[in-house]
mmCIF file of all heavy atoms in Angstrom:
data_model
loop_
_atom_site.group_PDB
_atom_site.id
_atom_site.type_symbol
_atom_site.label_atom_id
_atom_site.label_comp_id
_atom_site.label_asym_id
_atom_site.label_seq_id
_atom_site.Cartn_x
_atom_site.Cartn_y
_atom_site.Cartn_z
ATOM 1 N N ALA A 142 62.966 -145.684 -159.931
ATOM 2 C CA ALA A 142 64.103 -146.328 -159.268
ATOM 3 C C ALA A 142 63.991 -146.223 -157.752
ATOM 4 O O ALA A 142 64.216 -147.202 -157.025
ATOM 5 C CB ALA A 142 65.411 -145.699 -159.758
ATOM 6 N N ALA A 143 63.613 -145.048 -157.262
ATOM 7 C CA ALA A 143 63.459 -144.859 -155.819
ATOM 8 C C ALA A 143 62.340 -145.738 -155.271
ATOM 9 O O ALA A 143 62.477 -146.327 -154.190
ATOM 10 C CB ALA A 143 63.174 -143.391 -155.514
ATOM 11 N N GLY A 144 61.252 -145.845 -156.017
ATOM 12 C CA GLY A 144 60.146 -146.693 -155.592
ATOM 13 C C GLY A 144 60.540 -148.161 -155.517
ATOM 14 O O GLY A 144 60.176 -148.868 -154.570
ATOM 15 N N ILE A 145 61.306 -148.610 -156.493
ATOM 16 C CA ILE A 145 61.758 -150.005 -156.490
ATOM 17 C C ILE A 145 62.687 -150.270 -155.306
ATOM 18 O O ILE A 145 62.562 -151.291 -154.617
ATOM 19 C CB ILE A 145 62.434 -150.359 -157.834
ATOM 20 C CG1 ILE A 145 61.380 -150.378 -158.950
ATOM 21 C CG2 ILE A 145 63.161 -151.699 -157.756
ATOM 22 C CD1 ILE A 145 61.943 -150.444 -160.353
ATOM 23 N N LEU A 146 63.603 -149.341 -155.054
ATOM 24 C CA LEU A 146 64.492 -149.502 -153.889
ATOM 25 C C LEU A 146 63.700 -149.511 -152.583
ATOM 26 O O LEU A 146 63.983 -150.308 -151.679
ATOM 27 C CB LEU A 146 65.529 -148.385 -153.853
ATOM 28 C CG LEU A 146 66.667 -148.493 -154.860
ATOM 29 C CD1 LEU A 146 67.502 -147.212 -154.852
ATOM 30 C CD2 LEU A 146 67.533 -149.701 -154.568
ATOM 31 N N LEU A 147 62.711 -148.631 -152.474
ATOM 32 C CA LEU A 147 61.862 -148.619 -151.275
ATOM 33 C C LEU A 147 61.078 -149.921 -151.139
ATOM 34 O O LEU A 147 60.904 -150.440 -150.031
ATOM 35 C CB LEU A 147 60.899 -147.435 -151.319
ATOM 36 C CG LEU A 147 61.453 -146.101 -150.862
ATOM 37 C CD1 LEU A 147 60.493 -144.974 -151.216
ATOM 38 C CD2 LEU A 147 61.734 -146.103 -149.373
ATOM 39 N N PHE A 148 60.609 -150.447 -152.251
ATOM 40 C CA PHE A 148 59.851 -151.701 -152.223
ATOM 41 C C PHE A 148 60.730 -152.842 -151.709
ATOM 42 O O PHE A 148 60.317 -153.622 -150.850
ATOM 43 C CB PHE A 148 59.299 -152.021 -153.615
ATOM 44 C CG PHE A 148 58.169 -152.999 -153.605
ATOM 45 C CD1 PHE A 148 56.857 -152.557 -153.541
ATOM 46 C CD2 PHE A 148 58.401 -154.369 -153.656
ATOM 47 C CE1 PHE A 148 55.799 -153.462 -153.525
ATOM 48 C CE2 PHE A 148 57.358 -155.282 -153.643
ATOM 49 C CZ PHE A 148 56.053 -154.826 -153.571
ATOM 50 N N ILE A 149 61.951 -152.933 -152.240
ATOM 51 C CA ILE A 149 62.885 -153.980 -151.804
ATOM 52 C C ILE A 149 63.195 -153.823 -150.320
ATOM 53 O O ILE A 149 63.172 -154.790 -149.552
ATOM 54 C CB ILE A 149 64.175 -153.940 -152.645
ATOM 55 C CG1 ILE A 149 63.873 -154.365 -154.083
ATOM 56 C CG2 ILE A 149 65.267 -154.821 -152.035
ATOM 57 C CD1 ILE A 149 64.995 -154.089 -155.065
ATOM 58 N N GLN A 150 63.478 -152.583 -149.899
ATOM 59 C CA GLN A 150 63.777 -152.355 -148.485
ATOM 60 C C GLN A 150 62.544 -152.615 -147.624
ATOM 61 O O GLN A 150 62.663 -153.090 -146.501
ATOM 62 C CB GLN A 150 64.299 -150.934 -148.262
ATOM 63 C CG GLN A 150 64.810 -150.681 -146.872
ATOM 64 C CD GLN A 150 65.981 -151.576 -146.497
ATOM 65 O OE1 GLN A 150 66.924 -151.705 -147.262
ATOM 66 N NE2 GLN A 150 65.915 -152.207 -145.332
ATOM 67 N N GLY A 151 61.358 -152.320 -148.151
ATOM 68 C CA GLY A 151 60.122 -152.598 -147.415
ATOM 69 C C GLY A 151 59.938 -154.085 -147.155
ATOM 70 O O GLY A 151 59.495 -154.489 -146.066
ATOM 71 N N ILE A 152 60.288 -154.919 -148.131
ATOM 72 C CA ILE A 152 60.226 -156.373 -147.924
ATOM 73 C C ILE A 152 61.183 -156.761 -146.793
ATOM 74 O O ILE A 152 60.839 -157.570 -145.921
ATOM 75 C CB ILE A 152 60.568 -157.127 -149.229
ATOM 76 C CG1 ILE A 152 59.472 -156.890 -150.278
ATOM 77 C CG2 ILE A 152 60.731 -158.630 -148.967
ATOM 78 C CD1 ILE A 152 59.824 -157.374 -151.670
ATOM 79 N N ALA A 153 62.371 -156.168 -146.810
ATOM 80 C CA ALA A 153 63.328 -156.447 -145.729
ATOM 81 C C ALA A 153 62.775 -156.012 -144.376
ATOM 82 O O ALA A 153 62.974 -156.704 -143.373
ATOM 83 C CB ALA A 153 64.653 -155.749 -146.012
ATOM 84 N N GLU A 154 62.077 -154.884 -144.350
ATOM 85 C CA GLU A 154 61.505 -154.407 -143.085
ATOM 86 C C GLU A 154 60.393 -155.337 -142.603
ATOM 87 O O GLU A 154 60.248 -155.569 -141.399
ATOM 88 C CB GLU A 154 61.001 -152.972 -143.235
ATOM 89 C CG GLU A 154 62.088 -151.962 -143.546
ATOM 90 C CD GLU A 154 63.229 -151.952 -142.552
ATOM 91 O OE1 GLU A 154 62.976 -151.937 -141.332
ATOM 92 O OE2 GLU A 154 64.392 -151.985 -142.999
ATOM 93 N N ILE A 155 59.612 -155.883 -143.524
ATOM 94 C CA ILE A 155 58.582 -156.871 -143.165
ATOM 95 C C ILE A 155 59.255 -158.098 -142.538
ATOM 96 O O ILE A 155 58.808 -158.605 -141.498
ATOM 97 C CB ILE A 155 57.775 -157.287 -144.417
ATOM 98 C CG1 ILE A 155 56.894 -156.150 -144.899
ATOM 99 C CG2 ILE A 155 56.975 -158.557 -144.177
ATOM 100 C CD1 ILE A 155 55.600 -155.991 -144.169
ATOM 101 N N LEU A 156 60.319 -158.569 -143.178
ATOM 102 C CA LEU A 156 61.046 -159.728 -142.644
ATOM 103 C C LEU A 156 61.672 -159.405 -141.283
ATOM 104 O O LEU A 156 61.705 -160.251 -140.389
ATOM 105 C CB LEU A 156 62.121 -160.180 -143.635
ATOM 106 C CG LEU A 156 61.597 -160.702 -144.975
ATOM 107 C CD1 LEU A 156 62.750 -161.022 -145.912
ATOM 108 C CD2 LEU A 156 60.696 -161.916 -144.776
ATOM 109 N N ARG A 157 62.132 -158.167 -141.128
ATOM 110 C CA ARG A 157 62.683 -157.723 -139.848
ATOM 111 C C ARG A 157 61.595 -157.770 -138.761
ATOM 112 O O ARG A 157 61.853 -158.178 -137.631
ATOM 113 C CB ARG A 157 63.208 -156.294 -140.013
ATOM 114 C CG ARG A 157 64.316 -155.932 -139.130
ATOM 115 C CD ARG A 157 64.861 -154.533 -139.444
ATOM 116 N NE ARG A 157 66.223 -154.672 -139.878
ATOM 117 C CZ ARG A 157 66.728 -154.241 -141.012
ATOM 118 N NH1 ARG A 157 65.987 -153.600 -141.872
ATOM 119 N NH2 ARG A 157 67.985 -154.420 -141.297
ATOM 120 N N CYS A 158 60.382 -157.343 -139.129
ATOM 121 C CA CYS A 158 59.258 -157.391 -138.181
ATOM 122 C C CYS A 158 58.929 -158.829 -137.797
ATOM 123 O O CYS A 158 58.722 -159.135 -136.614
ATOM 124 C CB CYS A 158 58.015 -156.734 -138.798
ATOM 125 S SG CYS A 158 58.119 -154.956 -139.001
ATOM 126 N N ILE A 159 58.891 -159.721 -138.783
ATOM 127 C CA ILE A 159 58.597 -161.137 -138.515
ATOM 128 C C ILE A 159 59.663 -161.730 -137.599
ATOM 129 O O ILE A 159 59.350 -162.450 -136.641
ATOM 130 C CB ILE A 159 58.469 -161.917 -139.838
ATOM 131 C CG1 ILE A 159 57.218 -161.459 -140.591
ATOM 132 C CG2 ILE A 159 58.437 -163.421 -139.585
ATOM 133 C CD1 ILE A 159 57.130 -161.952 -142.026
#
Side-chain angles (χ1 to χ4, degrees):
I145 291 169
L146 285 171
L147 278 169
F148 199 92
I149 292 168
Q150 188 61 48
I152 293 170
E154 297 305 313
I155 290 279
L156 296 176
R157 209 175 243 124
C158 290
I159 292 169

